[in-house]
Amino acid sequence: MRELTYLEAVREAMSQEMRRNEDVFILGEDIGVYGGAFGVTRGMIEEFGPERIRNTPISEAAISGTAVGAALTGMRPILELQFSDFMTIAMDNMVNQAAKIRYMYGGKGKVPMVLRTPAGSGTGAAAQHSQSLEAWMAHVPGLKVVQPSTAYDAKGLLKAAIDEDNPVIFYEHKLCYKTTSDVPEELYSIPLGKADVKREGSDVTIVATAIMVHKALEAAAKLEEQGISVEVIDPRTLVPLDTETIIESVKKTGRLVVVHEAVKRGGFGGEIASTIAESEAFDYLDAPIMRLGGKAVPIPYNPELEKSAIPGVDDIVAAVKETLNRH
Amino acid sequence: MTQLINIPAQLKKTDLTHLLKQMWQIRFFEEKVDEFFAKGMIHGTTHLAVGQEASAVGSIAVLQERDKITSTHRGHGHCIAKGAEVNRMMAELFGRTTGYCKGKGGSMHIADVDKGNLGANGIVGGGFAIATGAALTSQMKNEGYVVLCFFGDGASNEGSFHEALNLASIWKLPVVFVCENNQYGMSGPAKEMMNVEDVAKRAVAYGVPGKVVDGNDVFDVMNGVGEAVERARNGEGPSIIEAKTYRWKGHSKSDAKKYRTREEEQEWRAKDPIARLRDALIGEGLLTEESAAEIKAAAKKEIEDSVEFSKASPMPTIEDLMEDIYA
């Protein structure tokens, strides 16, 4: 099988869906000749033309609402927001309109749209271009929230997101864009709400999201050298959340460490930890659940400060050891 | 003494009584809702459009059935004018399952997507981009319909107004933005909240036509909106039509109207759009006093019947709570 980067996998999913279904189109800032802020749509305007690769003004409130209106009337728009931080400007349309329409219309109408957006730190873009705000969206009934970590997952999950009749927020981590994995050429779908066990293990479960999946796997490899067997689970979608896979894993290992890049306070890790605490897996716990997340600080510019604002591989190793030392 | 209006020559040969019927339906619907709120028989909040009947009825009178609208939180009139069943509207306000939204939307969210009413909106300015997106669908699928986006003077100070106007203008989308300038955004007088007298003047900034019409003269509204709809249907893009009107009631049920004088209210009551239309039709010999009275009585009875229908309709069950969040 050929290898693709995560970025290429996202592009391939969109291109193949657009060839298959003419209701699918993309709108966003600089997605045309420029190819998008991160190059995800590069080359697509040549194949699909400016009608379907729709370059927009810098106008997040208008383009997010336009996507809602287009979705409500029969299109399947993919909205690219250049940085997930700009969600603040699109917030009304996603939270008050897209998420609510079906329910408040009594089940009439649907909003099949995908909002794709790069999230996370690590590029030196500092406080307004580096946030991880997925917990905001996961909090809102009516939205689905996806966070792929690998190229394979990105392609399959994006296909599933485009097929959804509901609004989906699709977070792409900037540092994942260059990572590669085997990706089938044909279009395939990974159902939303199905976690992936990225590595099997027996001593401790790590639930990690987005770029933290890669760091957790690195940590697991280091820990293996020390005789510690780590299971790494990537939920892949926060809404819906595959609680079953996580619960089963914790019942097996008896220990849970949750890792995400987003600020720990109010982060989605709390939701996962609470889900385990409320479940039958609680009785299998041999130690308190650990949460690792970003510090409660705006992401700073200085590279060393930036790195230390979020969990690193060593932090994960330390957390695993700590949980193994507690009873 | 009411002010006179003129019936355009080309309309004199047509049946204009449906305009009068709809305006009376709206008036009686709103008065009934007002009464029931006062008695505590309807809960939540509601925003009445008594006095604004001509802008809703006149605007929608020039549409074809396939055309669409987006509405505001003062949207009962638009809904009735777009052909909604008053039974299902009243039932919605009573929170019953027979309501347009199965009792889950209430006054501010009534929609009838199948018939082209894309919904009232509880967010001021929430409809601008949704209307723009629906117009984008019309353009991309070559469906030929036009979207009317109703909004108030207050909403024209929202960022979404400016973003949507710009986008609709550069893409020449078939959307007409109809401002119902009822002089107040909640308690804020339009003349204190913006430094231009006419919202329509803001059209200059987006390179689109802007026109002021007498919002209490149904024919002036039809004329202005009609031209803009034609333009939109011919692919010439959006326009702003500003209908100057007045809401007789307060902003919502809790409003003591301390921000305006009773003299001002009386001035506008003398421009009652219903009395003006009725007098014009009788004056031109298109309607007798007797048939006018019959139309009025029939409209009133429909509203009375809608109350009976609503009272007899079932309440949702607790099992309905979690239905229709996702498609």
Side-chain angles (χ1 to χ4, degrees):
Chain A
M1 204 181 288
R2 79 232 150 103
E3 275 201 345
L4 282 190
T5 65
Y6 181 102
L7 184 150
E8 289 164 338
V10 170
R11 182 193 298 144
E12 187 168 273
M14 291 194 293
S15 296
Q16 290 180 337
E17 275 292 301
M18 286 180 70
R19 281 174 210 135
R20 200 179 67 84
N21 182 352
E22 59 182 29
D23 291 341
V24 180
F25 72 103
I26 313 177
L27 71 169
E29 296 149 3
D30 307 298
I31 62 168
V33 176
Y34 191 92
F38 288 84
V40 179
T41 56
R42 195 162 292 152
M44 289 184 76
I45 195 166
E46 280 81 1
E47 179 179 354
F48 298 104
E51 286 290 306
R52 297 181 73 197
I53 306 295
R54 216 164 243 274
N55 229 12
T56 69
I58 298 168
S59 207
E60 290 83 2
I63 58 182
S64 54
T66 295
V68 175
L72 186 59
T73 48
M75 301 296 287
R76 304 187 88 85
I78 302 171
L79 171 65
E80 177 174 303
L81 271 197
Q82 284 190 335
F83 289 86
S84 73
D85 313 69
F86 305 166
M87 184 68 84
T88 51
I89 312 170
M91 206 69 164
D92 177 57
N93 287 306
M94 299 319 298
V95 173
N96 289 323
Q97 313 295 342
K100 306 286 193 288
I101 279 177
R102 186 168 178 84
Y103 190 80
M104 71 186 186
Y105 291 3
K108 285 290 192 76
K110 55 187 186 187
V111 185
M113 65 177 285
V114 182
L115 187 155
R116 288 181 36 243
T117 188
S121 66
T123 65
Q128 295 173 339
H129 286 68
S130 302
Q131 296 170 88
S132 300
L133 301 171
E134 63 272 11
W136 286 5
M137 294 294 138
H139 188 70
V140 179
L143 299 177
K144 295 197 174 181
V145 180
V146 182
Q147 267 192 308
S149 65
T150 68
Y152 175 85
D153 289 352
K155 183 174 174 183
L157 289 166
L158 184 51
K159 152 86 175 141
I162 295 169
D163 286 342
E164 268 284 326
D165 280 339
N166 299 292
V168 179
I169 314 292
F170 194 89
Y171 285 107
E172 296 162 12
H173 197 288
K174 295 164 198 128
L175 298 188
C176 288
Y177 275 143
K178 287 182 181 162
T179 64
T180 57
S181 62
D182 286 347
V183 178
E185 282 186 41
E186 72 273 10
L187 197 51
Y188 59 94
S189 187
I190 296 173
L192 306 188
K194 186 84 198 76
D196 189 37
V197 180
K198 294 290 186 206
R199 177 193 171 107
E200 292 194 16
S202 53
D203 295 331
V204 56
T205 299
I206 298 179
V207 174
T209 58
I211 192 69
M212 288 300 154
V213 174
H214 300 273
K215 291 192 183 181
L217 289 170
E218 243 183 90
K222 284 190 176 183
L223 288 158
E224 188 180 31
E225 292 166 11
Q226 299 165 39
I228 300 165
S229 168
V230 178
E231 180 145 300
V232 177
I233 294 179
D234 176 1
R236 300 195 287 201
T237 65
L238 303 187
V239 182
L241 180 66
D242 180 358
T243 53
E244 197 181 324
T245 299
I246 302 169
I247 289 169
E248 286 310 311
S249 175
V250 173
K251 279 163 75 175
K252 180 174 73 175
T253 63
R255 295 172 197 273
L256 174 63
V257 177
V258 184
V259 195
H260 57 57
E261 178 175 326
V263 171
K264 180 177 163 184
R265 182 177 70 206
F268 198 77
E271 178 67 23
I272 294 173
S274 308
T275 300
I276 291 304
E278 288 172 350
S279 77
E280 75 264 26
F282 179 78
D283 295 326
Y284 294 77
L285 282 175
D286 296 322
I289 299 166
M290 302 275 299
R291 282 185 299 150
L292 284 183
K295 295 188 172 76
V297 62
I299 298 294
Y301 168 66
N302 175 283
E304 283 311 308
L305 294 182
E306 181 184 30
K307 212 177 289 174
S308 58
I310 64 164
V313 175
D314 293 343
D315 299 316
I316 301 172
V317 168
V320 167
K321 287 185 174 171
E322 194 182 334
T323 190
L324 286 164
N325 287 331
R326 294 179 73 172
H327 306 284
Chain B
M1 166 111 184
T2 56
Q3 291 187 341
L4 295 178
I5 53 171
N6 293 316
I7 304 176
Q10 76 275 13
L11 290 178
K12 284 181 189 169
K13 292 177 192 132
T14 58
D15 177 20
L16 297 169
T17 56
H18 66 282
L19 301 174
L20 190 61
K21 166 90 182 289
Q22 279 193 330
M23 284 164 75
W24 262 325
Q25 276 182 313
I26 296 170
R27 176 73 52 91
F28 291 134
F29 186 89
E30 300 289 58
E31 287 180 344
K32 185 57 72 181
V33 170
D34 202 26
E35 177 195 328
F36 284 167
F37 262 108
K39 289 182 183 166
M41 291 168 67
I42 294 178
H43 82 153
T45 186
T46 194
H47 308 82
L48 305 177
V50 177
Q52 299 183 199
E53 296 87 352
S55 59
V57 169
S59 298
I60 292 170
V62 301
L63 296 185
Q64 299 171 4
E65 205 172 329
R66 62 183 172 148
D67 293 330
K68 300 185 191 298
I69 66 163
T70 61
S71 178
T72 68
H73 61 276
R74 200 176 303 286
H76 301 155
H78 311 139
C79 201
I80 290 174
K82 192 72 175 87
E85 297 165 34
V86 289
N87 280 356
R88 297 187 61 195
M89 284 178 66
M90 190 64 85
E92 185 57 35
L93 269 66
F94 273 74
R96 307 298 166 118
T97 56
T98 52
Y100 268 105
C101 314
K102 300 181 190 166
K104 292 173 175 178
S107 164
M108 280 194 287
H109 307 299
I110 296 178
D112 190 4
V113 178
D114 297 339
K115 285 196 182 144
N117 179 355
L118 301 181
N121 211 306
I123 305 297
V124 174
F128 289 120
I130 294 176
T132 300
L136 179 61
T137 298
S138 179
Q139 187 188 68
M140 289 185 79
K141 287 184 175 254
N142 204 16
E143 291 189 351
Y145 65 76
V146 171
V147 186
L148 276 198
C149 172
F150 287 103
F151 67 104
D153 44 288
S156 76
N157 296 321
E158 290 276 5
S160 57
F161 168 78
H162 303 274
E163 291 202 19
L165 247 297
N166 182 57
L167 192 69
S169 173
I170 59 169
W171 289 352
K172 284 204 182 325
L173 296 178
V175 51
V176 177
F177 297 94
V178 178
C179 178
E180 296 179 297
N181 182 342
N182 65 13
Q183 316 298 325
Y184 293 92
M186 198 157 164
S187 71
K191 56 182 178 289
E192 288 178 20
M193 297 300 164
M194 52 191 180
N195 242 342
V196 285
E197 195 180 333
D198 303 323
V199 171
K201 283 207 174 98
R202 292 179 160 175
V204 175
Y206 305 101
V208 304
K211 188 176 182 181
V212 176
V213 298
D214 180 345
N216 284 23
D217 175 345
V218 71
F219 299 116
D220 207 31
V221 173
M222 285 173 74
N223 187 37
V225 176
E227 276 176 23
V229 165
E230 271 321 292
R231 197 183 125 80
R233 216 183 296 281
N234 292 335
E236 295 169 71
S239 315
I240 300 175
I241 304 298
E242 178 182 8
K244 301 275 195 192
T245 184
Y246 197 78
R247 62 165 149 81
W248 291 10
K249 305 280 180 181
H251 167 73
S252 60
K253 63 167 180 171
S254 57
D255 182 357
K257 300 184 288 180
K258 286 181 183 162
Y259 48 84
R260 68 191 194 190
T261 64
R262 298 303 165 258
E263 290 73 24
E264 178 185 286
E265 291 180 359
Q266 287 310 318
E267 254 174 60
W268 279 94
R269 278 177 185 264
K271 296 184 230 175
D272 179 355
I274 301 183
R276 291 170 80 184
L277 174 60
R278 177 186 167 280
D279 292 352
L281 293 176
I282 292 173
E284 289 283 343
L286 299 171
L287 190 70
T288 62
E289 290 276 358
E290 294 72 35
S291 36
E294 276 168 30
I295 293 170
K296 185 177 181 180
K300 190 159 201 162
K301 181 164 187 317
E302 278 187 37
I303 302 306
E304 294 295 342
D305 290 350
S306 77
V307 173
E308 294 313 309
F309 173 84
S310 303
K311 284 179 179 168
S313 291
M315 287 285 188
T317 63
I318 300 306
E319 287 73 46
D320 296 329
L321 174 68
M322 300 303 287
E323 289 294 314
D324 296 327
I325 305 169
Y326 293 99

